[in-house]
Amino acid sequence: MELYAAAREQGAPADALATATLRATALLAEVARALTQEAHARVTDLDVPAREADWPVLRFEVLLPAHWSDAARQRALAAVRAAAGVWPDARIRAAGHPARDTMAAEQLLRQLAAEPGDAQAEPQWRIVLAGDGYLDAEQVASWDASSALLTHANPQGRVPGEAAAGLLLAPAGTQAELQLTLSPVLPRQKPADARGAQAEAPLTDLARDLLQAARVAPDSIAHILSDADHRGSRPLEPLSVATQLFAHLDGGKDCQALGVACGHTGAAASLLTLAVAGETCMQLDQPVLTLTLQDPALRAAALVSRPAASATA
């Protein structure tokens, strides 16, 4: 009710007042504030830029569900900008990206990684954000009516959840605390939601090729994180990868499925997995493998590790 009252007071239109969007927007603002403060601390570590024009650009790339109204998406972008108050407003850019499926974050990250570098361009920090939520009475009722809700009668239904997550990407040439290596996106041979679907060998090959590309030994992986939930073959897929590549890992303790812990977080699921992997990598000081498994037909992996130059710092 407090979020609703605050939004009304700020003049938010009626189609931006759904409970789920208000809650997800509030979470996005919290993440944006925290990551902006981290970027601010990095930029001002040695000296505070003397003029506003001397600050690097801070660019937000914000993934929001495509089914949100335009008003709800615009309000979320405004909340993100407002949360970045420690940064000069004139040096902030914010772009919204409609997430039409659970692979939207994967596609956006790969698009950003493929952008050509320009030595003449001014430095910019990027914060990639995603938010989504389903903790809304109307949404839960709708899922229940369409047999999409997890119940005793429907064990393959979904559990409503919500999340916001973000990644801070430093400008080229800046010392980074973490390094992100992305795999290609791979199609499954049989959709994960099909009857009789099992874990498939190509996912293990994808993870193996990713480690080789990053020059990381399998026995250095400390943890596997996925966005898997309880549906179909998804719970089996990380365990299959661990069994075939990481004999030193305990499937019960070292393979964490965020979809089980957090429920269905939609557009935020993949980025949430990467964000938690980053925290885990920093805590353990060892590489962490992530697996993107929400889409029934597509699979992707990522490696979160410490850069070689800072691994012993």
Side-chain angles (χ1 to χ4, degrees):
M1 291 299 293
E2 290 182 8
L3 292 175
Y4 181 87
R8 284 291 301 271
E9 187 175 326
Q10 294 164 3
D15 56 355
L17 295 175
T19 300
T21 61
L22 291 176
R23 290 172 62 97
T25 296
L27 293 175
L28 275 168
E30 290 181 16
V31 176
R33 183 176 297 108
L35 292 178
T36 300
Q37 290 172 347
E38 183 180 338
H40 183 276
R42 297 281 300 279
V43 170
T44 61
D45 183 39
L46 297 179
D47 191 18
V48 178
R51 301 175 305 161
E52 185 177 83
D54 295 331
W55 283 79
V57 169
L58 177 64
R59 183 178 296 277
F60 288 99
E61 310 284 357
V62 188
L63 277 163
L64 297 168
H67 66 262
W68 282 20
S69 68
D70 288 342
R73 288 200 296 270
Q74 289 303 315
R75 184 175 181 276
L77 284 177
V80 165
R81 287 193 67 119
V86 297
W87 206 275
D89 187 67
R91 304 297 286 167
I92 297 174
R93 311 285 185 269
H97 303 271
R100 294 183 172 83
D101 53 46
T102 56
M103 295 299 290
E106 298 290 332
Q107 294 163 355
L108 177 59
L109 288 173
R110 282 158 179 76
Q111 175 186 325
L112 296 178
E115 288 183 354
D118 184 353
Q120 304 302 317
E122 61 180 341
Q124 63 178 358
W125 291 77
R126 257 199 173 108
I127 295 178
V128 183
L129 297 170
D132 203 353
Y134 298 88
L135 298 183
D136 179 291
E138 290 186 8
Q139 179 70 67
V140 172
S142 174
W143 280 9
D144 194 18
S146 62
S147 299
L149 187 67
L150 175 66
T151 63
H152 290 298
N154 184 27
Q156 294 302 314
R158 287 174 168 165
V159 177
E162 66 180 4
L167 296 178
L168 174 62
L169 307 179
T174 303
Q175 181 68 46
E177 293 184 331
L178 293 172
Q179 178 172 296
L180 178 63
T181 309
L182 303 169
S183 78
V185 175
L186 179 80
R188 277 182 57 95
Q189 297 171 355
K190 184 176 187 179
D193 295 328
R195 183 181 296 275
Q198 299 290 327
E200 295 182 354
L203 181 60
T204 300
D205 297 336
L206 192 73
R208 182 186 292 111
D209 292 345
L210 177 64
L211 297 186
Q212 290 177 349
R215 298 181 180 179
V216 169
D219 59 7
S220 71
I221 298 297
H223 208 70
I224 298 177
L225 275 161
S226 74
D227 59 3
D229 52 28
H230 58 282
R231 295 175 299 140
S233 66
R234 292 173 181 85
L236 304 177
E237 294 183 53
L239 298 178
S240 177
V241 172
T243 299
Q244 296 182 65
L245 293 184
F246 311 113
H248 62 290
L249 296 183
D250 183 322
K253 296 189 302 182
D254 301 322
C255 294
Q256 184 179 2
L258 294 184
V260 174
C262 302
H264 180 69
T265 55
S270 178
L271 206 64
L272 176 64
T273 305
L274 287 171
V276 174
E279 293 294 327
T280 304
C281 178
M282 292 293 290
Q283 291 173 9
L284 301 178
D285 198 23
Q286 288 182 266
V288 174
L289 179 71
T290 73
L291 301 174
T292 300
L293 308 175
Q294 279 295 302
D295 190 275
L298 300 174
R299 293 293 176 262
L303 181 70
V304 182
S305 58
R306 300 293 300 275
S310 64
T312 59

